[in-house]
Amino acid sequence: MDALKSLVQPLVGGAGGSSVIDGMKLVVLGGTVETARRVSSSAWCLRVSPCTAFFLTAHFSEEDYPYDWLMLWLSRRPEWQRSREFETTTRTTTPGFSGSRTADNSFCDEEEEDDGDDTAPGKVKTRVVFQPTFDTTHTIYYKGHWLRVRRGRKSDGSGCEVLSISVVARNNSILKQLVLQAKKEYEAEAIHRIQIYFADSHGSWRWTDSRHKRPMSSIVLNPGVKEMLLNDTRDFLKSEKWYADRGIPFRRGYLLHGVPGSGKSSLIHAIAGELMLDIYVVSLSSSWISDSTLQTLMGRVPARCIVLLEDLDAAFTRSVTRDKNSTGTPDSSSATSEEGNSSPEPTSSANSRHKRHNKDHISDVNTLSLSGLLNALDGVAAAEGRILFATTNHLERLDPALSRPGRMDVWIEFKNASKWQAEALFRNFFPSTEDDAEVLEGDLEGIDLPGPQSPTTSSNDSSLWSMSPSFSSSTSSLVSRSTKNTTPGSGAEEFGAKNQAYLPPPVEEHIAACQHSAKPLDAAKLAQLAKKFADSIPEEEFSVAALQGYLLKNKSQPETAAEEAAPWVISERELKERLKKEKEQREIKEKLEREKRRKELLEKEKEKADLEKKELELAKLKLQLQEQGTKDKALAEKKEADKAATSVEATVIADANANAKGEDTGVNETKEELAADADSDEENVPPSSSTPSEVTWVRVVETSS
Ligand SMILES: Nc1ncnc2c1ncn2[C@@H]1O[C@H](COP(=O)(O)OP(=O)(O)OP(=O)(O)O)[C@@H](O)[C@H]1O
């Protein structure tokens, strides 16, 4: 205690110190204490959350594009090789690049790598990539800064992934640089592909698919159509100022209408590839589509893109069928299935997100109105710079307001295949020796083969592009395989190569038909076969998709394809006829059944009505009887009462008369006695014997009762 006193004493001064010095000492003491408090509190803050004290932190939600850019960038960082904690994944961050992307730090089976045969059919190289683990902080060196990277989940219960990147810096320019670099790298990967986004029920765009660009040359349309459309769209994209100067909204719409399978969607994909634009698809027949959702979606499309409104005619019918007889009545079952089908099953990283977001929020509001659609297309909130494509199979069903210029500036009709198209399709399908050079230049690069995938399906044949994203082919492999496979029979040599004693039997015809590459034809032969094929195809009777289906069946046999086109047409017609008849019969049967059911229903209703009528009558009768009974009873009671009253009065009168005559009746006589007397009097005394005075009395009493 003495020690403490001696310590404080010099500070507060002795009893003899001046008051000014004392005050100064107190100020110094207070200041020291406060400084100590602040220093200790800062040190505590620093210890608890150093990030908030010195770091600049950016958060990237998986719902937004930068997340994907950064995940790709991160997966390529060599730091992950040295990291003591990382995640390995075969899932690609870049949409649609599964197996094809080689990140710096990715790896695969060495044997697989040495093999070097990228062309092996159905063989997918699985590369493993390092990625940041969840809830662990990683440090990466970037442009003179140490970045702290952390992957976590949002705390709002949505389960949404968030990537947080912190850096010690005075401003956020380093983070901006990082995002831009990640974007650039991402886009460099995406240059040969188009990204497809589908609208979801939250009013957001979800990345769904990535496809190889489809070459324009693979689209077979009447001369000039493709060129006109491509030039028009190119011209539009260059004319922003022109539109602005004239105060015209910078938007352009194209309406592609016509028969199914004629190339509407294919053309849009090819144009998107040419213009390097992504496609944003809304299916207007989706069950959850409403005015507000569509408005939100249209407000969220990027400045340069293609918006595709599929099945414009189905916008207000909600029917999933494209049947001409579609009534437009809301169909709950179709609505449910539509939910599942409205957007193709997404793959890769978007898959899990898509499912998670849809799982707990699937609305079935379906309240799209015409005015809502028009507003979304060209209302104030509608994005500028977008190219709108709308497709329909039933132009006649469209409201004129929808298809007026300004909304749909260019209309293109798609018909069934002409002879010209048939020939061009044939030429596209089968390789020619003269085309090889062109082919090598990459005209067919990235053409996807139509599904379904089978072990025997090669990804390298010359073929038209299809909707299946899982097949890809490269030009060089196409040519090399074409030359490798000579005749159908040559395959047999491979299979029986080790046999010494017996030669292999000839390859059966149907097996040969399954070969997947045709021998390149010389130009003259190709021209002759293509003509033969086109001659057999009737003008505008079959869709291009149908012809493509036929050619696919004979894709290794151009001769057969040309020879058998005429019988195929006949068999197709027969098939169509048969299907038509079956449909008619089915319709007649259904109509008869409907009629029968209607009659039965009418009969039942009639019986029911008769029964009800009878019951009603019965009830009425009962009521009448009841009323009658009540009346009778009341009447009887009344009669009884009247009778009693009359007899009492009569007795009284008789008594009065008797009194008047001087007779003594006695005061204690009972009512019964009086009544009995009255009765007997009534019976015994004839009315004629009544005196005039008695009659007068009775009448007076009756009137009053
Ligand atoms: N004109 C065409 N040129 C090349 N291929 C075509 C053409 N028309 C159709 N096809 C082929 O037929 C298939 C279906 O074509 P697509 O989906 O583009 O037709 P669509 O008119 O959009 O049909 P729908 O109206 O039913 O959506 C595709 O595999 C495509 O390659």
Side-chain angles (χ1 to χ4, degrees):
M1 196 62 189
D2 287 344
L4 191 68
K5 257 187 177 177
S6 65
L7 212 66
V8 174
Q9 194 65 33
L11 290 172
V12 294
S18 75
S19 59
V20 177
I21 292 175
D22 286 352
M24 280 177 69
K25 281 177 183 169
L26 273 174
V27 168
V28 170
L29 185 65
T32 314
V33 169
E34 177 57 19
T35 310
R37 193 192 65 77
R38 284 191 187 182
V39 167
S40 63
S41 120
S42 309
W44 177 252
C45 282
L46 210 64
R47 215 174 83 81
V48 170
S49 54
C51 291
T52 51
F54 295 115
F55 281 83
L56 264 177
T57 305
H59 302 282
F60 303 92
S61 163
E62 67 165 338
E63 290 164 319
D64 213 349
Y65 305 117
Y67 178 90
D68 285 339
W69 306 339
L70 285 160
M71 285 301 281
L72 175 65
W73 183 81
L74 285 170
S75 71
R76 291 172 156 189
R77 303 308 299 167
E79 281 85 346
W80 300 124
Q81 295 283 14
R82 299 190 295 271
S83 176
R84 315 238 16 117
E85 197 157 353
F86 51 81
E87 191 177 283
T88 55
T89 178
T90 53
R91 206 188 76 180
T92 171
T93 319
T94 315
F97 286 91
S98 180
S100 65
R101 174 167 54 78
T102 43
D104 298 348
N105 62 341
S106 67
F107 61 96
C108 68
D109 187 355
E110 276 172 22
E111 278 177 30
E112 228 181 324
E113 201 147 44
D114 293 343
D115 186 359
D117 180 15
D118 287 346
T119 62
K123 185 173 176 181
V124 179
K125 267 194 204 169
T126 315
R127 298 197 75 83
V128 186
V129 178
F130 292 142
Q131 276 191 342
T133 36
F134 263 103
D135 294 329
T136 313
T137 306
H138 304 268
T139 311
I140 294 180
Y141 190 69
Y142 175 70
K143 289 193 178 175
H145 291 79
W146 286 101
L147 307 178
R148 292 171 68 83
V149 181
R150 191 180 171 83
R151 230 172 114 206
R153 292 201 187 280
K154 272 189 185 170
S155 52
D156 60 2
S158 63
C160 192
E161 286 179 24
V162 188
L163 189 70
S164 305
I165 301 184
S166 309
V167 62
V168 181
R170 260 181 292 152
N171 56 40
N172 59 13
S173 71
I174 188 70
L175 287 175
K176 277 187 195 161
Q177 283 176 37
L178 172 67
V179 174
L180 287 177
Q181 183 176 341
K183 180 173 182 265
K184 222 186 238 172
E185 286 183 18
Y186 185 93
E187 284 173 352
E189 285 269 8
I191 200 113
H192 300 297
R193 305 183 72 97
I194 49 168
Q195 310 303 328
I196 309 213
Y197 297 84
F198 267 83
D200 74 7
S201 53
H202 301 261
S204 302
W205 294 103
R206 299 262 149 228
W207 174 82
T208 311
D209 200 0
S210 158
R211 294 187 190 159
H212 274 294
K213 288 178 178 174
R214 178 168 182 157
M216 271 304 230
S217 56
S218 72
I219 309 286
V220 183
L221 290 176
N222 281 337
V225 176
K226 286 186 293 184
E227 293 75 11
M228 179 276 289
L229 207 53
L230 197 57
N231 289 339
D232 195 275
T233 44
R234 277 206 179 114
D235 187 51
F236 166 73
L237 290 176
K238 282 189 282 186
S239 322
E240 186 165 3
K241 190 169 177 308
W242 188 93
Y243 277 83
D245 289 347
R246 283 152 189 81
I248 303 170
F250 185 43
R251 290 189 281 261
R252 196 143 176 89
Y254 301 86
L255 179 65
L256 311 188
H257 63 96
V259 294
S262 51
K264 296 183 287 294
S265 313
S266 307
L267 181 62
I268 295 166
H269 284 90
I271 287 177
E274 285 290 327
L275 303 177
M276 297 214 288
L277 297 176
D278 293 338
I279 303 181
Y280 290 74
V281 189
V282 195
S283 181
L284 293 180
S285 53
S286 297
S287 57
W288 46 262
I289 271 283
S290 68
D291 292 354
S292 62
T293 327
L294 193 65
Q295 185 115 15
T296 317
L297 283 166
M298 287 301 170
R300 284 184 181 169
V301 290
R304 293 285 163 109
C305 71
I306 286 181
V307 176
L308 170 56
L309 296 184
E310 279 187 330
D311 298 333
L312 199 58
D313 57 282
F316 312 107
T317 61
R318 324 277 183 239
S319 171
V320 285
T321 67
R322 289 171 159 192
D323 195 330
K324 277 191 182 132
N325 303 326
S326 172
T327 57
T329 322
D331 180 346
S332 62
S333 63
S334 70
T336 326
S337 68
E338 185 66 18
E339 185 58 50
N341 299 334
S342 63
S343 56
E345 199 53 28
T347 52
S348 149
S349 62
N351 195 356
S352 57
R353 291 181 230 166
H354 190 86
K355 278 183 191 160
R356 196 168 51 242
H357 288 292
N358 271 354
K359 194 175 59 180
D360 45 14
H361 185 98
I362 293 177
S363 66
D364 194 11
V365 188
N366 197 352
T367 53
L368 184 66
S369 65
L370 178 64
S371 63
L373 177 57
L374 298 182
N375 254 339
L377 293 186
D378 54 11
V380 270
E384 300 238 321
R386 53 109 181 111
I387 295 177
L388 176 77
F389 275 97
T391 62
T392 176
N393 296 123
H394 303 289
L395 183 68
E396 71 285 353
R397 288 194 197 159
L398 294 192
D399 192 290
L402 256 179
S403 46
R404 77 145 165 80
R407 290 192 181 111
M408 300 295 161
D409 306 277
V410 181
W411 294 28
I412 299 174
E413 186 179 3
F414 285 68
K415 293 183 182 167
N416 280 331
S418 63
K419 282 184 183 292
W420 186 88
Q421 279 177 297
E423 186 186 338
L425 197 65
F426 192 93
R427 282 174 174 277
N428 254 0
F429 231 82
F430 296 105
S432 138
T433 43
E434 287 180 11
D435 286 347
D436 283 359
E438 279 172 47
V439 167
L440 272 169
E441 268 156 38
D443 193 33
L444 288 175
E445 187 180 333
I447 297 178
D448 293 343
L449 276 173
Q453 187 171 21
S454 75
T456 50
T457 306
S458 153
S459 59
N460 307 304
D461 302 331
S462 162
S463 162
L464 291 178
W465 177 93
S466 90
M467 306 299 271
S468 162
S470 54
F471 291 83
S472 67
S473 66
S474 71
T475 314
S476 51
S477 62
L478 182 145
V479 176
S480 65
R481 284 183 67 76
S482 316
T483 45
K484 242 191 261 174
N485 268 348
T486 48
T487 56
S490 66
E493 284 164 29
E494 285 171 30
F495 298 119
K498 287 179 185 154
N499 271 9
Q500 298 288 319
Y502 298 100
L503 284 175
V507 177
E508 285 174 44
E509 216 170 275
H510 71 277
I511 302 285
C514 292
Q515 297 287 323
H516 289 280
S517 316
K519 200 168 78 173
L521 301 162
D522 64 70
K525 180 84 176 159
L526 182 63
Q528 182 207 336
L529 292 179
K531 183 174 181 308
K532 186 161 193 176
F533 174 72
D535 283 347
S536 314
I537 304 297
E539 194 75 20
E540 292 181 10
E541 190 175 326
F542 295 97
S543 70
V544 181
L547 297 189
Q548 181 183 294
Y550 167 75
L551 290 176
L552 268 173
K553 277 194 219 152
N554 298 289
K555 60 180 177 284
S556 63
Q557 299 167 305
E559 289 88 357
T560 317
E563 295 289 337
E564 292 186 359
W568 174 78
V569 168
I570 295 170
S571 71
E572 281 297 296
R573 278 181 180 157
E574 281 171 1
L575 185 71
K576 267 190 193 173
E577 199 59 36
R578 209 179 60 230
L579 288 176
K580 198 176 150 194
K581 267 191 194 149
E582 277 175 12
K583 195 180 168 201
E584 276 170 8
Q585 276 171 358
R586 211 174 40 242
E587 276 173 3
I588 290 172
K589 207 173 149 193
E590 278 171 9
K591 201 176 160 192
L592 285 175
E593 267 177 20
R594 266 203 308 276
E595 193 62 29
K596 198 177 148 195
R597 269 204 302 274
R598 201 178 62 84
K599 272 185 187 162
E600 279 173 5
L601 210 70
L602 274 176
E603 215 123 280
K604 268 187 193 163
E605 272 174 11
K606 202 170 161 251
E607 271 174 22
K608 203 176 153 194
D610 285 351
L611 205 71
E612 276 173 5
K613 205 175 152 194
K614 275 180 190 160
E615 275 174 2
L616 208 70
E617 276 171 8
L618 209 68
K620 256 188 195 170
L621 216 65
K622 264 187 189 170
L623 205 70
Q624 275 175 1
L625 281 173
Q626 250 176 10
E627 277 174 4
Q628 192 62 41
T630 322
K631 264 187 198 168
D632 287 353
K633 204 176 159 192
L635 211 68
E637 277 172 5
K638 194 178 165 218
K639 260 189 187 169
E640 198 72 22
D642 287 350
K643 220 169 165 184
T646 314
S647 62
V648 169
E649 289 303 326
T651 312
V652 171
I653 291 163
D655 286 350
N657 288 340
N659 283 342
K661 287 174 189 171
E663 284 175 19
D664 187 9
T665 50
V667 285
N668 294 325
E669 207 170 359
T670 62
K671 259 187 179 179
E672 287 79 10
E673 282 168 342
L674 283 173
D677 288 347
D679 284 346
S680 60
D681 284 347
E682 261 179 30
E683 281 163 19
N684 299 334
V685 181
S688 56
S689 66
S690 305
T691 58
S693 63
E694 282 171 357
V695 171
T696 314
W697 270 94
V698 170
R699 269 190 198 143
V700 170
V701 172
E702 271 178 357
T703 314
S704 67
S705 70

